[in-house]
Amino acid sequence: MNWLSLNWPQVIELTRDHLLLSAPALLLSVLIAVPIGRLAQQRPRIGGALLGAASLLYAIPALPLLIIIPALFGVPLRSPATMVIALTVYGVALLVRTAADAFGSVDPRVREAAVAVGHSPRSVFWRVDLPLAVPVLLAGVRVVAVSTVSLVTIGALIGVPSLGTLLTDGFQRGIPAEVATGIIATMALALLFDALLVAAGRALTPWATIRHERPLPQEETT
Amino acid sequence: MIEFETVSKTYPGQSVAVADFSLVVPSHRTVVLVGSSGSGKSTLLRTVNRMVEPTSGRVLIDDEDVRERDPVALRRSIGYVLQHGGLLPHRSVLDNIATVPVLKGTPKRRARTAASELLERVGLDPKIGRRYPGQLSGGQQQRVGVARALAADPNILLMDEPFGAVDPIMRRELQEELLRLQAELHKTIVFVTHDIDEAFLLGDEVVVLREGGVIAQRGTPAEILGAPADDFVRDFVGADRAERELHITTVDGRSIAVDGTGRPVGVLAP
Ligand SMILES: Nc1ncnc2c1ncn2[C@@H]1O[C@H](COP(=O)(O)OP(=O)(O)O)[C@@H](O)[C@H]1O
Ligand SMILES: [Mg+2]
C-alpha cells in the first residue's frame, strides 16, 4: 500500500474523472431510454422493432464503437465526449427494454381511471405513468449504473483518463498495487452509485414500501 | 340533463355492445341502469364522458353534443366513480381527492384544505388524508372515490358499480351515505349496477337493460316492481321471489307483514 500513499492525489483526480464520465452517461441513458421505452409500450408495433434495434447496439464491440463515434459525431477521438457517447449507447441498449417493461407494469385500470377523471395525455405521463414506473425503472437504472461505471475503464485504452488508467498503467509498469487500487476504487464507485440510487428510489416511492401492508383498521366516523 | 339519442356501440371485432339506446336523464335526479354483466351498462355510461365514442347516435349534456366538447375539459366537469376506486396508488388520499381541482389550476394548499373537508362529508376521518389508498379498506377507498368525484363540484356524477366490490354491510352504509349526500347536493346521477335491490334503493328512476343495451323497462322502482313489463323483467327484479311477496297477518291485534316463506319482516304502521 506504499504505492497508494504516494499516489493518492492522482487516484482522487482519476476518481473525479471517472465520475464525470459515468454520471452524465447514466443521466443521458435514462433521458433517452425512458421516452423510447414509453413509446414502445404505447405502440407495440413500432416499439418492438425499436427495442430490438436498441438492444442490438449492445452487441457492438467497444473498440470499433469508440472509433466510429468521432466519425459520426465529429468529436475528437481521445475526448471525454467520445467516451460519454459510447457509454450512453450501451446504457440505452441496456435500459430500453426495462423502461418499456416499467411502463407496462403500470396497472392499465389506474391509467384509464386517471384519463376518465380528466388527466390530459401529458399529465397522465408525468403524474401517473412515470411515478408508477419508477420501481421497475430503478431496477434497470441500477444495472446500467454499475455497468457504466465499470465500462468507463476501457476509455483508458484510447487515452481518456479514468480509474481505468490505473489498470493500463499498472499492467504496463508491473505495479500490482496500482492495478488493485484501480479495481477496488472502480467497484467502490459502482457501489456508491448503487447506494445513491437505492436511496433515491426510497425517497421517490414512499407509497411502494407501505403499499403491501395490511389495510389499517377501519376508522369510519359514521 | 343528459340525453342519449339512438346511441349504438360496436367494439372492433365484437358483436354489438349497445344498439339504438335512447334515454333522457333529467337534471338533479338519480337514474340507475341495471342489467346483468355484459349488457352494455359501462359502455353507455362511458359515452357520457367520451371514454367511449358511440359508433352512431349522440349524447347531449344540456342540449350540447358531448363531441363538441374538449374531452379533457368534459371529463373534468363530470364526477366519475369506478368499482375499483381507480385511485392513484402513489398519491395520498388528500391528493387523490384534490386531483381535478389541482389539474384545473387550484393552488395545492387550497385544494388540500377543501379535500380534507370533503373527507368528512363522505363520512371519513380527515386524519386518513395523509395515507395512501393501499392503506385503506375497500369501503374507505370507495368513499374516497366519491369524494374525488365531488371535489370539482360537478353537476353530473357517473357511478359504475361503485359499491360492487365491498361487503354487504359496508355496501349498505355506502348506499345510505350516497342517499344522504344526494339529498343535500341534488346532482344529476347516472348509476350503474347489476344489483336490483341497489337500483330500487337509489334510483328515482330505474332502467332495466337486456343484452345489447336494450331497454326492457323503465320507470320508478314502484312501477317496475308493481307491473313488470314482461317475464324477463319479472325474473330480473325477482317479482316472484318469496321475500317480495308480502302478506298481512294479525297477531295480538297488530298487523304484521309476512313474506312468502312466512317470515315476519315488519309491522304495519298504525
Ligand atoms: N373495450 C372493449 N373492447 C371490446 N369489447 C368490449 C369493450 N368493453 C366492453 N366490451 C364488450 O361490450 C359488451 C358490453 O360491455 P359493458 O358495457 O362493459 O357491459 P356491463 O358494464 O353491463 O357489464 C360486452 O360484451 C363486452 O365484452
Ligand atoms: Mg360494467
Side-chain angles (χ1 to χ4, degrees):
Chain A
M1 284 295 104
N2 212 7
W3 181 88
L4 184 57
S5 62
L6 290 174
N7 292 281
W8 64 266
Q10 193 208 353
V11 173
I12 301 252
E13 173 94 17
L14 290 174
T15 305
R16 207 205 57 168
D17 292 341
H18 204 108
L19 201 66
L20 290 180
L21 291 169
S22 36
L26 182 62
L27 192 66
L28 283 172
S29 303
V30 174
L31 290 180
I32 296 169
V34 165
I36 296 178
R38 154 88 168 190
L39 182 72
Q41 190 270 324
Q42 276 189 322
R43 309 251 157 84
R45 215 171 308 158
I46 325 172
L50 211 56
L51 287 189
S55 305
L56 210 61
L57 292 175
Y58 203 71
I60 305 174
L63 281 176
L65 184 65
L66 288 172
I67 291 161
I68 301 167
I69 285 171
L72 281 181
F73 291 86
V75 290
L77 173 64
R78 290 162 184 271
S79 70
T82 303
M83 225 25 235
V84 169
I85 294 172
L87 294 167
T88 303
V89 168
Y90 288 134
V92 169
L94 267 182
L95 196 54
V96 276
R97 202 165 289 274
T98 317
D101 291 346
F103 289 109
S105 76
V106 177
D107 185 344
R109 289 179 310 182
V110 169
R111 185 183 295 128
E112 205 185 82
V115 172
V117 302
H119 283 81
S120 62
R122 181 188 299 213
S123 53
V124 169
F125 176 76
W126 289 106
R127 292 167 187 262
V128 183
D129 274 346
L130 192 58
L132 288 174
V134 163
V136 176
L137 201 55
L138 197 77
V141 174
R142 287 175 64 187
V143 172
V144 175
V146 171
S147 138
T148 302
V149 168
S150 91
L151 273 174
V152 167
T153 54
I154 59 169
L157 297 176
I158 58 162
V160 177
S162 71
L163 289 169
T165 308
L166 299 179
L167 305 181
T168 47
D169 192 65
F171 277 124
Q172 269 163 17
R173 292 163 50 200
I175 310 171
E178 187 176 3
V179 174
T181 304
I183 293 172
I184 291 167
T186 305
M187 287 172 67
L189 203 58
L191 289 177
L192 178 71
F193 261 76
D194 197 51
L196 286 176
L197 285 170
V198 170
R202 291 246 169 81
L204 282 173
T205 60
W207 49 277
T209 40
I210 37 184
R211 204 167 118 201
H212 300 294
E213 276 176 20
R214 222 156 32 86
L216 294 164
Q218 308 275 311
E219 269 186 31
E220 259 101 350
T221 53
T222 43
Chain B
M1 181 175 65
I2 307 168
E3 277 175 277
F4 296 85
E5 278 186 7
T6 59
V7 171
S8 300
K9 176 68 188 180
T10 308
Y11 291 101
Q14 301 258 327
S15 52
V16 182
V18 171
D20 285 336
F21 178 90
S22 296
L23 179 75
V24 176
V25 178
S27 297
H28 315 301
R29 321 242 57 210
T30 304
V31 170
V32 180
L33 305 181
V34 60
S36 42
S37 175
S39 55
K41 308 180 295 293
S42 299
T43 300
L44 282 168
L45 195 70
R46 290 152 56 86
T47 58
V48 178
N49 62 3
R50 294 193 63 186
M51 289 300 287
V52 168
E53 298 287 346
T55 317
S56 66
R58 46 183 206 153
V59 178
L60 306 158
I61 293 177
D62 295 333
D63 299 318
E64 193 189 4
D65 189 337
V66 292
R67 267 174 307 188
E68 312 274 304
R69 306 270 305 268
D70 168 61
V72 172
L74 175 73
R75 288 168 196 150
R76 287 178 190 175
S77 74
I78 295 176
Y80 188 41
V81 190
L82 303 85
Q83 177 164 22
H84 292 287
L87 301 174
L88 298 176
H90 61 298
R91 289 304 187 81
S92 71
V93 165
L94 279 189
D95 286 342
N96 263 288
I97 297 173
T99 300
V100 177
V102 168
L103 285 172
K104 282 169 130 178
T106 307
K108 247 199 175 130
R109 181 183 296 242
R110 183 136 57 86
R112 286 212 181 109
T113 311
S116 188
E117 284 160 18
L118 267 171
L119 268 179
E120 279 187 277
R121 186 129 217 198
V122 298
L124 290 172
D125 187 333
K127 272 190 305 206
I128 71 163
R130 301 229 302 272
R131 293 196 198 149
Y132 291 98
Q135 297 172 288
L136 305 185
S137 70
Q140 289 172 321
Q141 289 186 29
Q142 289 313 109
R143 283 174 197 257
V144 173
V146 172
R148 176 179 64 176
L150 292 173
D153 197 22
N155 293 325
I156 294 175
L157 281 185
L158 305 177
M159 309 185 80
D160 194 346
E161 310 211 18
F163 313 141
V166 296
D167 65 76
I169 295 171
M170 184 64 63
R171 189 178 315 148
R172 188 68 203 203
E173 270 180 36
L174 287 160
Q175 289 164 346
E176 296 294 344
E177 194 80 36
L178 180 62
L179 284 170
R180 190 180 59 69
L181 279 169
Q182 174 63 349
E184 290 170 21
L185 300 173
H186 309 292
K187 303 289 181 191
T188 305
I189 301 180
V190 185
F191 191 105
V192 158
T193 180
H194 60 258
D195 175 353
I196 188 67
D197 294 316
E198 183 167 72
F200 284 165
L201 177 67
L202 299 176
D204 296 315
E205 197 173 320
V206 172
V207 179
V208 182
L209 297 177
R210 303 174 203 277
E211 198 73 4
V214 175
I215 298 181
Q217 187 173 5
R218 54 173 293 196
T220 62
E223 284 165 358
I224 293 175
L225 194 54
D230 56 22
D231 286 346
F232 174 84
V233 178
R234 179 187 305 280
D235 195 44
F236 192 84
V237 306
D240 299 332
R241 266 182 0 220
E243 70 264 30
R244 297 251 195 248
E245 215 179 278
L246 304 181
H247 316 262
I248 306 298
T249 62
T250 308
V251 178
D252 293 341
R254 304 192 65 187
S255 298
I256 307 288
V258 178
D259 73 11
T261 64
R263 205 191 339 253
V265 292
V267 183
L268 280 201

